[in-house]
């Protein structure tokens, strides 16, 4: 019974993490794109005058999409048309089951591994589920019975097949080094130090493999510079052209779920997952009290800084809009002052002295935090790259996949195999 | 130098090894966009974006906005219903019905003077055609909005009204 509850709690945590990151990423995408292009970006939607720098816009978007009319083509394949967005969404979320988001958590003497399903063949699961994602896109393209969506689906298939091979080859190198297909083993294996000072991360051991992998992941998520399944000037919106309302929202959200999953894969396989370099778990537990005080202190300092910034806005923007938005700086300053006071008040609970149990829990949560931080960075990298690079032409995409990345992947695999055969793997 | 040789050299730029590997160039590109991002986070005021309903662009005095009709000293329209503006109008948006003026020196006056603002292309040819300086486009009004098409057809009273004259 306990194990069912544990798994449920972990699934819910994972699901909420992904679903919570989706609106945040949509916001980061729009605001980041705007700032990169010297624009201001979304800043209008507000709840009682509070605009949260445009963070209200994703909520407004979702509300709009929920209440929109669901327009569907008459000659669609009804069952597949309705199924496709759910396939895409389910696949995007289910990859997460095998990615460890922390080491373990000890509660009431029970040692709970922080991964939903610790499969022995975790890497194969990831590859299998990732390729299932193509089915959703192809089904969507075909079921809509429209030549543009069909072409989009075909493009997606060809692209996925080309880049899945490279992804597999890149992962194979890691598999040789860590001698396991289990993702927890791979992440645990990245905790050590190479030559006593370099973190033994996958990116250090497999730099070429990392480049191949990250490129393949970008292609798998269908994002710029590999967003060929969509193409305004060629095939309109591609595979999701005939979808509207909530079904379109599912495709849109699935893209961001894919981003989160891709970022999680990159950080788990090549950037040590929850491992913090030079700060292994025993050391974390030993200095838990000190670290907790440091975290609290930084929270106080950061929230005071935000409060000061908001107070400056209160002074500078008095009556600037002449409506509810004038309240925003005041509310912001109040919020950050309360946060600062709460964090400062937490010092009264003696955070420097939390005991062995507390230290263990703190260490687990700290590692989960490190993992989430890495995921956020790589998710941002997706956005950053999208607004920097021009997209590939279709023939360039195929040439890069088959003529450049495939030979490099094979060379990387053979080279890794030789080195592992000569000096043994990480075990 | 032959034409073929020239075109080949000018279209195919020779790339160095570092450029053809592409990765370093990607990093350079990311640095450029990252610089813009960081600059804009800390200098939001530098952005050229105008927050439209709050801030409005100041146009020059020659800006052609919504039309207005001028009045004589006694308050009647200067227009003599000569149809010059409606004849000249390339969008055919002015409709004038002429009527006989009681003063024999004036001859005619417009019984109706309608402008369809949805048809108007704001070219200003009506201003130039008018022999009496009766129609002007110097109000500076460019926010012309309504919720039905017939509200865009403005009549003589509207065009003569002081309230419609100029935002400046």
């Amino acid at each position: 019974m306990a194990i069912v509850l544990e798994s449920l709690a972990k699934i819910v945590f994972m699901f909420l993490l992904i679903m919570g990151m989706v609106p945040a990423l949509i916001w980061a995408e729009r605001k980041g794109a705007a700032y990169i292009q010297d624009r201001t970006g979304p800043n209008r939607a507000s709840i009682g005058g509070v605009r949260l720098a445009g963070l209200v816009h994703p909520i407004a978007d979702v509300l709009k999409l929920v209440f929109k009319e669901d327009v569907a083509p008459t000659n669609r394949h009804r069952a597949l048309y309705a199924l496709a967005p759910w396939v895409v969404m389910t696949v995007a979320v289910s990859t997460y089951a095998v990615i460890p988001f922390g080491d373990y958590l000890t509660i009431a003497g029970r040692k709970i591994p922080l991964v939903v399903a610790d499969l022995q063949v975790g890497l194969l699961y990831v590859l299998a589920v990732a390729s299932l994602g193509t089915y959703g896109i192809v089904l969507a393209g075909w079921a809509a019975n429209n030549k543009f969506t069909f072409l989009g689906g075909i493009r997606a298939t060809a692209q996925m097949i080309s880049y899945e091979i490279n992804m597999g080859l890149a992962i194979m190198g890691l598999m040789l080094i860590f001698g396991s297909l289990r993702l927890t083993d791979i992440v645990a294996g990245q905790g050590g130090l190479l030559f006593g000072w370099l973190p033994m991360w996958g990116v250090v051991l497999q730099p070429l493999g990392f480049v191949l992998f990250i490129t393949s992941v970008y292609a798998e998520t269908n994002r710029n510079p590999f967003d060929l399944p969509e193409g305004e000037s060629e095939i309109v919106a591609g595979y999701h052209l005939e979808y509207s309302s909530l079904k379109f929202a599912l495709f849109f959200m699935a893209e961001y779920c894919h981003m989160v999953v891709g970022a999680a894969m990159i950080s788990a396989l090549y950037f040590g997952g929850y491992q913090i370099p030079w700060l292994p778990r025993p050391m974390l537990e030993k200095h838990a009290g000190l670290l907790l005080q440091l975290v609290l202190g930084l929270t106080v300092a950061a929230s005071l800084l935000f409060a000061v910034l908001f107070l400056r806005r209160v002074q500078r923007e008095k009556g600037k809009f002449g409506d509810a938005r004038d309240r925003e700086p005041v509310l912001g300053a109040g919020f950050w002052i309360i946060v600062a006071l709460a964090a400062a008040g937490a010092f009264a609970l003696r955070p420097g002295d939390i005991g062995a149990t507390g230290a263990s829990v703190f260490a687990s949560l700290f590692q989960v935090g490190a993992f989430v931080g890495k995921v956020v960075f790589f998710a941002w990298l997706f956005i950053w790259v999208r607004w920097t690079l021009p997209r590939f032409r279709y023939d360039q995409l195929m040439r890069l996949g088959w003529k450049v990345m495939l030979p490099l992947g094979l060379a990387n695999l053979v080279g890794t195999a030789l080195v592992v055969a000569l000096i043994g793997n990480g075990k | 130098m032959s034409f073929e040789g020239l075109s080949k050299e000018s279209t195919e730029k020779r790339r160095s090894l570092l450029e053809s590997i592409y990765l370093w160039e990607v990093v350079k590109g990311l640095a450029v966009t990252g610089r813009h991002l960081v600059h804009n986070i800390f200098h939001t005021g530098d952005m050229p974006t105008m927050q439209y309903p709050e801030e409005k662009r100041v146009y020059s005095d020659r800006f052609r906005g919504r039309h207005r009709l001028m009045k004589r000293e006694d308050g009647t329209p200067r227009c003599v219903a000569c149809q010059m503006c409606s004849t000249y109008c390339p969008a055919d948006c002015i409709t004038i019905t002429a009527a006989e003026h009681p003063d024999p020196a004036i001859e005619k006056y417009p019984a109706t003077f309608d402008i369809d603002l949805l048809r108007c292309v704001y070219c200003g040819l009506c201003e130039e055609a008018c022999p009496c300086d009766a129609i002007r486009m110097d109000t500076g009004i460019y926010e012309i909005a309504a919720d039905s098409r017939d509200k865009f057809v403005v009549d003589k009273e509207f065009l003569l009204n002081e309230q419609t004259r100029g935002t400046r």
Side-chain angles (χ1 to χ4, degrees):
Chain A
M1 193 60 210
I3 192 135
V4 174
L5 280 178
E6 261 172 31
S7 303
L8 265 180
K10 283 187 283 195
I11 290 170
V12 167
F13 171 79
M14 228 51 259
F15 191 70
L16 287 183
L17 182 73
I18 307 176
M19 284 301 146
M21 272 186 82
V22 166
L25 280 176
I26 294 174
W27 170 77
E29 175 107 43
R30 294 180 66 183
K31 205 77 179 170
Y35 275 25
I36 281 170
Q37 298 171 345
D38 296 347
R39 296 182 284 116
T40 39
N43 66 350
R44 290 282 151 183
S46 73
I47 299 173
V50 179
R51 296 172 296 169
L52 298 174
L55 205 51
V56 183
H57 274 260
I59 301 167
D61 285 346
V62 168
L63 277 178
K64 182 200 80 173
L65 283 170
V66 166
F67 288 111
K68 259 184 127 168
E69 186 191 352
D70 196 354
V71 184
T74 320
N75 291 325
R76 67 193 185 273
H77 187 300
R78 281 171 188 275
L80 294 183
Y81 178 85
L83 184 69
W86 294 102
V87 172
V88 172
M89 192 69 193
T90 314
V91 165
V93 180
S94 55
T95 322
Y96 235 112
V98 292
I99 296 174
F101 52 92
D103 200 353
Y104 57 85
L105 183 67
T106 318
I107 292 178
R110 279 185 65 89
K111 203 170 165 185
I112 307 167
L114 291 180
V115 53
V116 175
D118 192 7
L119 291 186
Q120 271 184 330
V121 287
L123 273 180
L124 291 183
Y125 174 85
V126 166
L127 286 175
V129 171
S131 47
L132 271 179
T134 324
Y135 278 85
I137 292 177
V138 174
L139 285 180
W142 187 77
N145 203 1
N146 173 320
K147 64 185 101 171
F148 293 120
T149 63
F150 184 57
L151 284 172
I154 286 183
R155 281 187 179 196
T157 333
Q159 182 176 326
M160 290 273 186
I161 290 171
S162 320
Y163 280 81
E164 209 127 82
I165 292 171
N166 300 319
M167 197 175 176
L169 284 175
I171 290 181
M172 215 85 91
L174 274 187
M175 195 191 86
L176 286 173
I177 287 177
F178 293 109
S180 173
L181 279 170
R182 199 193 278 265
L183 273 152
T184 43
D185 286 350
I186 290 176
V187 175
Q190 295 180 66
L193 292 178
L194 203 63
F195 315 124
W197 60 276
L198 206 56
M200 216 167 82
W201 282 357
V203 67
V204 178
L205 300 170
Q206 289 271 296
L208 183 59
F210 166 67
V211 171
L212 294 174
F213 182 76
I214 198 171
T215 316
S216 311
V217 168
Y218 276 60
E220 290 272 344
T221 49
N222 291 327
R223 276 183 69 85
N224 210 301
F226 301 104
D227 60 344
L228 272 300
E230 298 165 49
E232 192 62 39
S233 54
E234 305 135 32
I235 50 172
V236 203
Y239 59 91
H240 60 58
L241 169 64
E242 295 284 12
Y243 283 89
S244 52
S245 158
L246 205 57
K247 292 204 186 84
F248 169 74
L250 277 175
F251 278 113
F252 194 65
M253 271 153 59
E255 180 183 335
Y256 286 90
C257 289
H258 267 300
M259 265 168 74
V260 180
V261 170
M265 293 265 293
I266 294 167
S267 30
L269 293 176
Y270 287 93
F271 283 85
Y274 52 79
Q275 308 274 10
I276 306 161
W278 308 292
L279 208 59
R281 192 169 169 111
M283 221 202 279
L284 264 179
E285 289 189 13
K286 200 173 136 202
H287 302 296
L290 185 71
L291 278 169
L292 187 55
Q293 281 171 330
L294 203 67
V295 169
L296 282 175
L298 281 175
T299 313
V300 172
S303 37
L304 279 180
L305 178 72
F306 288 139
V308 167
L309 289 176
F310 270 109
L311 284 173
R312 271 177 56 194
R313 268 186 62 192
V314 171
Q315 226 173 23
R316 212 171 44 215
E317 299 180 0
K318 191 163 259 177
K320 182 184 171 192
F321 297 108
D323 55 29
R325 278 174 287 175
D326 288 329
R327 287 205 300 261
E328 192 183 44
V330 184
L331 291 173
F335 174 77
W336 286 113
I337 287 171
I338 289 170
V339 170
L341 285 178
F347 273 107
L349 301 170
R350 296 167 56 77
D353 181 28
I354 48 175
T357 332
S360 167
V361 171
F362 174 77
S364 301
L365 294 181
F366 203 74
Q367 286 185 327
V368 173
F371 176 70
V372 173
K374 284 174 191 175
V375 171
V376 168
F377 172 77
F378 283 104
W380 163 248
L381 193 67
F382 270 96
I383 294 169
W384 195 2
V385 165
R386 171 167 176 188
W387 297 101
T388 300
L389 296 183
R391 66 208 292 252
F392 284 98
R393 215 170 48 210
Y394 204 71
D395 59 320
Q396 293 171 332
L397 177 91
M398 285 296 145
R399 191 186 304 151
L400 179 73
W402 290 106
K403 287 189 173 174
V404 180
M405 283 172 62
L406 186 64
L408 279 177
L410 286 170
N412 182 49
L413 183 61
V414 172
T416 313
L418 277 177
V419 172
V420 169
L422 288 176
I423 62 169
N425 63 16
K427 273 192 171 172
Chain B
M1 193 184 284
S2 73
F3 176 71
E4 276 176 346
L6 184 76
S7 80
K8 196 172 183 185
E9 270 183 25
S10 55
T11 53
E12 280 182 30
K13 188 176 159 262
R14 201 168 285 275
R15 285 180 293 185
S16 70
L17 183 68
L18 198 62
E19 277 170 350
S20 58
I21 290 175
Y22 201 62
L23 283 175
W24 179 239
E25 300 296 308
V26 169
V27 174
K28 273 159 78 180
L30 287 176
V32 170
T33 46
R35 252 198 322 273
H36 275 265
L37 178 89
V38 172
H39 179 87
N40 285 324
I41 287 174
F42 292 107
H43 305 83
T44 32
D46 287 4
M47 275 183 242
T49 312
M50 257 186 172
Q51 298 298 329
Y52 162 63
E54 288 94 29
E55 299 170 40
K56 281 177 185 163
R57 191 173 292 284
V58 179
Y59 287 101
S60 87
D61 288 344
R62 299 179 51 182
F63 177 78
R64 291 191 294 270
R66 196 169 64 197
H67 324 65
R68 64 173 172 135
L69 284 178
M70 307 297 290
K71 288 178 184 169
R72 293 169 207 271
E73 274 161 16
D74 61 355
T76 54
R78 265 195 210 168
C79 178
V80 291
C82 66
Q83 313 280 358
M84 291 267 263
C85 53
S86 63
T87 310
Y88 211 7
C89 179
D92 197 16
C93 70
I94 306 176
T95 316
I96 305 169
T97 321
E100 200 165 333
H101 200 278
D103 184 351
I106 297 176
E107 200 176 329
K108 283 194 295 181
Y109 80 100
T112 65
F113 193 109
D114 296 338
I115 297 181
D116 187 345
L117 292 174
L118 284 179
R119 292 196 66 112
C120 179
V121 293
Y122 297 92
C123 61
L125 288 180
C126 50
E127 279 181 301
E128 284 182 36
C130 186
C132 308
D133 192 19
I135 184 165
R136 286 190 190 171
M137 295 180 74
D138 60 355
T139 57
I141 297 171
Y142 52 87
E143 292 161 313
I144 297 159
D147 52 13
S148 76
R149 278 169 184 269
D150 43 291
K151 284 183 190 161
F152 283 99
V153 182
V154 290
D155 60 6
K156 188 175 75 170
E157 279 63 44
F158 183 86
L159 292 165
L160 279 168
N161 194 341
E162 289 288 339
Q163 300 299 318
T164 65
R165 286 195 189 172
T167 47
R168 288 181 304 237

